[in-house]
Amino acid sequence: MSLTVYRKSHFNAAHRLYRNDWDDKKNKAVFGKCNNPNYHGHNYEFEVGVTGDINPETGFLIDIEKLKTIIKEEVEDYLDHKNLNLDIPEFKELNPTMENIVVLIWNKLRKRLNSNYGLSIKLFETPRNFVIYNG
Amino acid sequence: MSLTVYRKSHFNAAHRLYRNDWDDKKNKAVFGKCNNPNYHGHNYEFEVGVTGDINPETGFLIDIEKLKTIIKEEVEDYLDHKNLNLDIPEFKELNPTMENIVVLIWNKLRKRLNSNYGLSIKLFETPRNFVIYNG
Amino acid sequence: MSLTVYRKSHFNAAHRLYRNDWDDKKNKAVFGKCNNPNYHGHNYEFEVGVTGDINPETGFLIDIEKLKTIIKEEVEDYLDHKNLNLDIPEFKELNPTMENIVVLIWNKLRKRLNSNYGLSIKLFETPRNFVIYNG
Amino acid sequence: MSLTVYRKSHFNAAHRLYRNDWDDKKNKAVFGKCNNPNYHGHNYEFEVGVTGDINPETGFLIDIEKLKTIIKEEVEDYLDHKNLNLDIPEFKELNPTMENIVVLIWNKLRKRLNSNYGLSIKLFETPRNFVIYNG
Amino acid sequence: MSLTVYRKSHFNAAHRLYRNDWDDKKNKAVFGKCNNPNYHGHNYEFEVGVTGDINPETGFLIDIEKLKTIIKEEVEDYLDHKNLNLDIPEFKELNPTMENIVVLIWNKLRKRLNSNYGLSIKLFETPRNFVIYNG
Amino acid sequence: MSLTVYRKSHFNAAHRLYRNDWDDKKNKAVFGKCNNPNYHGHNYEFEVGVTGDINPETGFLIDIEKLKTIIKEEVEDYLDHKNLNLDIPEFKELNPTMENIVVLIWNKLRKRLNSNYGLSIKLFETPRNFVIYNG
């Protein structure tokens, strides 16, 4: 048996992909347009999935208002209208690819949820490119 | 190996969340806006996923026209343009949360499908809040 | 020359369609499923369009944060998680059809916007049925 | 631990469903409108999901530009603006149902991806009918 | 003052673009992939907009159930699961481009609606290519 | 009579809103989160609408393949994966608000289209905030 409740949210951010230990030519070859030195950006849309059992008293798997507050505090307040490379400590040395971003979001939410719950995150970098991480 | 065919459908319904054995203050604290005594409502969109093998004669996993008929009889005719609390016997004593609604839909469709098929239901209460149940 | 800025929002509400001066048979014939005495409901999505000129100082036609506040106060706080027939004075005697709802929203927002601005509202009752009102 | 990167794409094609060894009456009974002798068509939208680990050097699970090229060569160039029954050898004797199409896409992409990667395909025949195949 | 009610619907069809009085080379140069002799196809989604006044008795601009019936009879029954070139008399000599299809739909619905109503049609050939015709 | 053909496209870019002649406090008060000195970004989706008559020879209002090329050259190649403030000369002194961006896109496309055509642009900065400009 498996029941998962999902909440959709979003943040808007700038980023670029590059490695300091590579020269411009290699950065350009590997990261293409995403290597633009002045950054570009995205509307990141994401879905938080929480797996568990129904509380028979309320009919809720989780109080979605509380989940919204956790998402706001951990993800929206932290990433919205930010430059991921410059403003977010985790990405000082790590490329803010959608793969690394989804792992960051998962880790931040995992700490705030009871360990009985399962957690999965779906992150859209664009309407055509997205990623799912289940921990 | 896993192949799943999905059919999307919808129903529009009113509901409210509350417990008779709680006073107004507690109901308001736990269920918030969803506790409004005069009900509110949603366009519920849902996806029915049926897992199985391809029939080599037709190329179908399931005849989707037959699946549409089952969905219409079990879900649309039963829930569309209804008040979930007042018109649906299963919710006389049970809160019509999206979690409890998705379990009801799964149980009703499960009875109509051959036991060889797997079944999963995704139910959107709003475009931002949804739930998946796999039985 | 015409420039229009749009902001999307939503509210969830219950309603029914009927006339007190018609008998049940006529109400059923004219309003069909929407006549269900116990109400049903929708996720109403709407888009507010404000037409005007760009303020050269800011590059804004209108401050969208102020527009969001006006939309919240006039529409969301007034209609979200409500029963349109029972909770909204304007619909005590008037059917809460999408046509009448869109006119109500337009009238409420019109009072809050400078008369130099044009105003149009698009209201989705379902993803398949919607209405546009330009005043 | 599970991380999956998705890329969305599409192709537009004509098809019909029928069996040569059935008479018209049986074909009509089983395949309904999809049996129209002169074909009909769809905008097929599909999502390619690739499961694996993050390359710590780039932050990529897979280079999505390379994935786009593979999808173009194997799926878009092969199926876009085609008649599936007449133009695609695999469907000379096999009904081009969405179930059989998704298996074809999976098989063609599977050959082009490193065997360390998992692969799943979601194919929409219409916005309301779709299928997922995980191999 | 302007109020318009919209109803969304769809049909799935095959077509190709070509002129009998042009040779293959010119047909290919002008119509590109859409010239494929064996046809290709689309999920055509369309929105019917009817402009008029609210009937104060019902609160309806138009009875949307009657509009649905007219759309089904004039458009869905006529175009769904068809080959536009072979099965639709209007396209025997006329290219079934989205421009010509939207005019056909408009003309067929115009005859069925009271002349007091304004009429506009939006037709999606793909999610990225669409057309609006107001008569 | 009015017929308009639309083509949808997109670009991803970074930007920030501020005025050099205002101090930080005023910039923050007027532009809020959009004032972040390190930029943020968006997936800008846009629709180009071209109004005109059907060419009776082809059935096209405009050759959409040529329109796609013009859109690529004038908008995508110019704005995609760019920092609007730093990389785009028009925004060196002008705030890259969605209002100013939509006017830039309209002006660039207007020069490339025959003056017989009407032109309108719809630009989404986010799925919830968008703008239409008709010149």
Side-chain angles (χ1 to χ4, degrees):
Chain A
M1 266 193 50
S2 163
L3 185 77
T4 305
V5 161
Y6 296 85
R7 173 70 192 170
K8 219 172 169 172
S9 185
H10 60 274
F11 60 92
N12 310 322
H15 80 150
R16 69 174 295 220
L17 303 183
Y18 70 106
R19 289 184 65 97
N20 270 327
D21 54 346
W22 289 357
D23 63 17
D24 282 0
K25 200 175 154 188
K26 183 160 185 192
N27 270 308
K28 187 79 187 164
V30 172
F31 296 117
K33 291 186 299 183
C34 299
N35 182 237
N36 178 29
N38 289 328
Y39 310 98
H40 64 284
H42 299 289
N43 301 325
Y44 292 92
E45 306 264 339
F46 64 102
E47 298 169 5
V48 175
V50 178
T51 301
D53 299 315
I54 300 179
N55 175 338
E57 204 177 25
T58 57
F60 290 153
L61 183 151
I62 189 171
D63 181 335
I64 217 157
E65 290 302 318
K66 283 182 193 155
L67 181 59
K68 281 167 69 173
T69 302
I70 293 173
I71 291 171
K72 184 180 180 302
E73 291 172 1
E74 295 296 323
V75 186
E76 296 171 27
D77 290 351
Y78 195 65
L79 299 177
D80 189 32
H81 281 73
K82 297 289 170 60
N83 182 307
L84 300 178
N85 303 76
L86 301 180
D87 297 329
I88 308 301
E90 286 88 343
F91 295 125
K92 286 286 187 245
E93 302 294 325
L94 184 71
N95 259 328
T97 58
M98 63 178 176
E99 291 92 331
N100 283 331
I101 302 169
V102 80
V103 172
L104 172 68
I105 294 172
W106 192 91
N107 286 336
K108 285 175 69 68
L109 292 175
R110 181 69 277 176
K111 287 178 203 153
R112 295 289 301 274
L113 291 168
N114 191 306
S115 62
N116 292 335
Y117 287 124
L119 176 64
S120 76
I121 311 290
K122 184 176 190 176
L123 174 71
F124 289 82
E125 189 167 273
T126 73
R128 290 151 288 273
N129 295 341
F130 51 102
V131 62
I132 295 179
Y133 183 58
N134 297 318
Chain B
M1 267 192 48
S2 161
L3 185 77
T4 306
V5 161
Y6 295 86
R7 172 72 192 171
K8 218 170 170 173
S9 185
H10 60 274
F11 60 92
N12 310 322
H15 79 152
R16 68 173 297 218
L17 303 182
Y18 71 105
R19 288 184 64 98
N20 269 326
D21 54 345
W22 288 356
D23 63 18
D24 283 0
K25 200 176 155 188
K26 183 159 184 193
N27 269 308
K28 187 80 188 163
V30 173
F31 297 116
K33 290 186 300 183
C34 298
N35 182 237
N36 179 29
N38 288 329
Y39 310 98
H40 64 285
H42 299 288
N43 301 325
Y44 292 92
E45 306 263 339
F46 64 102
E47 299 170 4
V48 176
V50 177
T51 301
D53 299 316
I54 300 180
N55 176 340
E57 204 177 26
T58 57
F60 290 152
L61 185 151
I62 189 170
D63 181 334
I64 217 157
E65 290 302 318
K66 284 184 193 152
L67 181 59
K68 281 167 69 174
T69 302
I70 293 173
I71 291 171
K72 183 179 181 302
E73 291 172 1
E74 295 297 324
V75 186
E76 296 171 29
D77 291 351
Y78 195 65
L79 299 178
D80 189 32
H81 281 73
K82 296 289 170 60
N83 182 308
L84 299 179
N85 304 76
L86 300 179
D87 297 330
I88 307 303
E90 285 88 343
F91 295 124
K92 286 284 188 249
E93 301 294 325
L94 185 71
N95 259 328
T97 58
M98 62 179 177
E99 290 91 332
N100 283 331
I101 301 169
V102 80
V103 171
L104 172 68
I105 293 172
W106 191 92
N107 286 336
K108 285 175 69 67
L109 292 175
R110 182 68 277 177
K111 287 178 203 154
R112 294 291 300 276
L113 291 168
N114 190 305
S115 63
N116 292 335
Y117 287 124
L119 176 64
S120 76
I121 311 290
K122 184 176 191 175
L123 174 72
F124 289 82
E125 190 167 274
T126 74
R128 291 151 288 274
N129 295 340
F130 52 103
V131 61
I132 294 179
Y133 183 58
N134 297 318
Chain C
M1 268 194 44
S2 164
L3 186 76
T4 306
V5 161
Y6 296 84
R7 172 71 193 170
K8 219 170 169 174
S9 184
H10 60 274
F11 60 92
N12 310 322
H15 80 151
R16 69 175 294 219
L17 303 182
Y18 71 105
R19 287 184 66 97
N20 269 326
D21 54 345
W22 288 357
D23 62 17
D24 282 0
K25 201 176 153 187
K26 183 160 185 191
N27 269 309
K28 188 79 189 164
V30 172
F31 297 116
K33 289 185 301 183
C34 299
N35 183 236
N36 178 28
N38 288 330
Y39 310 98
H40 63 284
H42 299 289
N43 300 326
Y44 292 91
E45 305 264 338
F46 64 103
E47 299 171 4
V48 176
V50 177
T51 301
D53 299 316
I54 299 179
N55 176 339
E57 205 178 26
T58 56
F60 291 152
L61 185 152
I62 189 169
D63 181 334
I64 217 158
E65 291 301 318
K66 284 183 191 153
L67 181 59
K68 280 167 69 173
T69 302
I70 294 173
I71 291 170
K72 184 181 180 299
E73 291 172 1
E74 294 297 324
V75 186
E76 295 170 29
D77 290 352
Y78 195 64
L79 298 178
D80 189 32
H81 281 73
K82 296 290 171 60
N83 182 308
L84 300 179
N85 303 77
L86 301 179
D87 296 329
I88 308 301
E90 287 88 343
F91 295 126
K92 286 285 188 247
E93 302 293 324
L94 185 71
N95 259 327
T97 58
M98 63 178 176
E99 291 92 331
N100 284 330
I101 301 168
V102 80
V103 171
L104 171 68
I105 293 172
W106 191 91
N107 287 335
K108 285 175 69 67
L109 292 175
R110 182 68 277 179
K111 287 179 202 153
R112 294 289 301 275
L113 291 168
N114 191 306
S115 63
N116 293 335
Y117 287 124
L119 176 63
S120 76
I121 312 289
K122 184 176 191 176
L123 174 71
F124 289 82
E125 190 167 275
T126 73
R128 291 150 289 272
N129 294 341
F130 53 102
V131 61
I132 295 179
Y133 183 58
N134 297 318
Chain D
M1 265 193 49
S2 163
L3 185 76
T4 305
V5 161
Y6 296 85
R7 172 69 191 172
K8 218 171 170 172
S9 185
H10 61 276
F11 60 92
N12 310 322
H15 79 150
R16 69 174 295 220
L17 303 182
Y18 71 106
R19 288 183 66 96
N20 270 327
D21 55 344
W22 288 356
D23 63 16
D24 283 0
K25 200 175 155 188
K26 182 158 184 192
N27 269 307
K28 187 80 188 162
V30 172
F31 296 116
K33 290 185 300 182
C34 299
N35 182 236
N36 179 29
N38 288 329
Y39 309 98
H40 63 285
H42 299 289
N43 301 324
Y44 292 91
E45 306 264 338
F46 64 102
E47 299 170 4
V48 176
V50 178
T51 301
D53 298 316
I54 300 180
N55 176 339
E57 204 177 27
T58 57
F60 290 153
L61 184 150
I62 190 169
D63 182 335
I64 217 157
E65 291 302 319
K66 284 183 193 152
L67 181 60
K68 280 167 70 174
T69 302
I70 294 173
I71 291 171
K72 185 180 177 302
E73 291 172 0
E74 295 296 324
V75 186
E76 296 171 29
D77 291 350
Y78 195 64
L79 299 177
D80 190 30
H81 281 72
K82 296 289 171 60
N83 182 309
L84 300 178
N85 303 76
L86 301 180
D87 297 329
I88 307 302
E90 286 88 344
F91 296 125
K92 286 285 188 246
E93 302 293 325
L94 185 71
N95 259 325
T97 58
M98 63 179 177
E99 291 91 331
N100 283 331
I101 301 169
V102 81
V103 171
L104 172 68
I105 294 172
W106 191 92
N107 286 336
K108 285 174 70 65
L109 292 175
R110 181 67 278 177
K111 288 178 202 154
R112 295 290 300 277
L113 292 168
N114 190 306
S115 63
N116 293 335
Y117 287 125
L119 176 64
S120 76
I121 311 290
K122 183 177 191 175
L123 174 71
F124 289 82
E125 190 167 273
T126 73
R128 292 151 286 274
N129 294 341
F130 52 103
V131 60
I132 294 179
Y133 182 58
N134 297 318
Chain E
M1 266 194 46
S2 163
L3 186 76
T4 306
V5 162
Y6 296 85
R7 172 69 192 172
K8 218 171 171 172
S9 184
H10 60 274
F11 60 92
N12 310 323
H15 80 149
R16 69 175 294 220
L17 303 182
Y18 71 106
R19 287 184 66 97
N20 269 327
D21 54 346
W22 289 355
D23 62 17
D24 282 1
K25 200 176 153 187
K26 183 159 184 191
N27 268 309
K28 187 80 189 163
V30 173
F31 296 117
K33 289 185 300 182
C34 300
N35 183 237
N36 178 28
N38 288 329
Y39 311 98
H40 63 284
H42 299 289
N43 301 324
Y44 291 93
E45 305 264 338
F46 64 103
E47 299 171 4
V48 176
V50 178
T51 301
D53 299 316
I54 299 179
N55 175 340
E57 205 178 24
T58 57
F60 290 153
L61 184 152
I62 190 170
D63 181 334
I64 218 157
E65 291 301 318
K66 284 183 191 154
L67 181 59
K68 280 167 69 174
T69 302
I70 293 173
I71 292 171
K72 184 180 179 302
E73 291 172 1
E74 295 296 324
V75 187
E76 295 171 29
D77 291 351
Y78 195 65
L79 300 177
D80 189 33
H81 281 72
K82 296 289 171 60
N83 182 307
L84 299 179
N85 303 76
L86 300 179
D87 297 329
I88 308 301
E90 286 88 344
F91 295 125
K92 286 285 187 247
E93 301 293 325
L94 185 71
N95 259 327
T97 57
M98 63 178 176
E99 292 92 331
N100 283 331
I101 301 169
V102 80
V103 172
L104 172 68
I105 294 172
W106 191 92
N107 286 336
K108 286 176 69 66
L109 292 176
R110 182 68 278 177
K111 288 179 202 152
R112 295 290 300 276
L113 291 169
N114 191 306
S115 63
N116 293 336
Y117 287 123
L119 176 64
S120 77
I121 311 290
K122 184 177 191 175
L123 174 71
F124 289 82
E125 190 167 275
T126 72
R128 292 151 285 274
N129 294 341
F130 53 101
V131 61
I132 294 179
Y133 183 58
N134 297 317
Chain F
M1 267 194 46
S2 164
L3 185 76
T4 305
V5 161
Y6 295 85
R7 173 69 192 171
K8 219 171 169 172
S9 184
H10 60 275
F11 59 92
N12 310 321
H15 79 151
R16 70 174 293 219
L17 303 182
Y18 71 105
R19 287 184 66 97
N20 270 327
D21 55 346
W22 288 357
D23 62 16
D24 283 359
K25 199 176 156 189
K26 184 159 183 192
N27 270 308
K28 187 81 189 161
V30 172
F31 297 116
K33 289 185 301 183
C34 299
N35 182 236
N36 179 27
N38 288 329
Y39 311 99
H40 63 285
H42 299 289
N43 300 325
Y44 291 92
E45 305 264 338
F46 64 102
E47 299 170 4
V48 175
V50 178
T51 301
D53 299 317
I54 299 179
N55 176 339
E57 205 178 25
T58 57
F60 290 153
L61 185 151
I62 189 169
D63 181 335
I64 217 156
E65 290 302 317
K66 285 184 192 151
L67 181 59
K68 279 166 70 173
T69 302
I70 294 173
I71 291 171
K72 184 180 180 303
E73 290 172 1
E74 295 296 325
V75 187
E76 295 170 29
D77 290 351
Y78 195 65
L79 299 176
D80 189 31
H81 281 72
K82 297 289 171 59
N83 182 309
L84 300 179
N85 303 76
L86 300 180
D87 297 328
I88 308 301
E90 286 88 343
F91 295 125
K92 285 284 188 248
E93 301 293 325
L94 186 70
N95 259 326
T97 58
M98 63 178 177
E99 291 92 332
N100 284 331
I101 301 169
V102 80
V103 172
L104 172 68
I105 293 172
W106 191 92
N107 286 336
K108 285 175 70 66
L109 292 176
R110 180 69 277 177
K111 288 179 203 153
R112 295 290 301 276
L113 291 168
N114 191 305
S115 63
N116 292 336
Y117 287 124
L119 177 63
S120 76
I121 310 291
K122 184 176 190 175
L123 175 71
F124 288 84
E125 190 167 274
T126 72
R128 292 149 287 274
N129 294 342
F130 52 102
V131 61
I132 294 179
Y133 182 58
N134 297 317

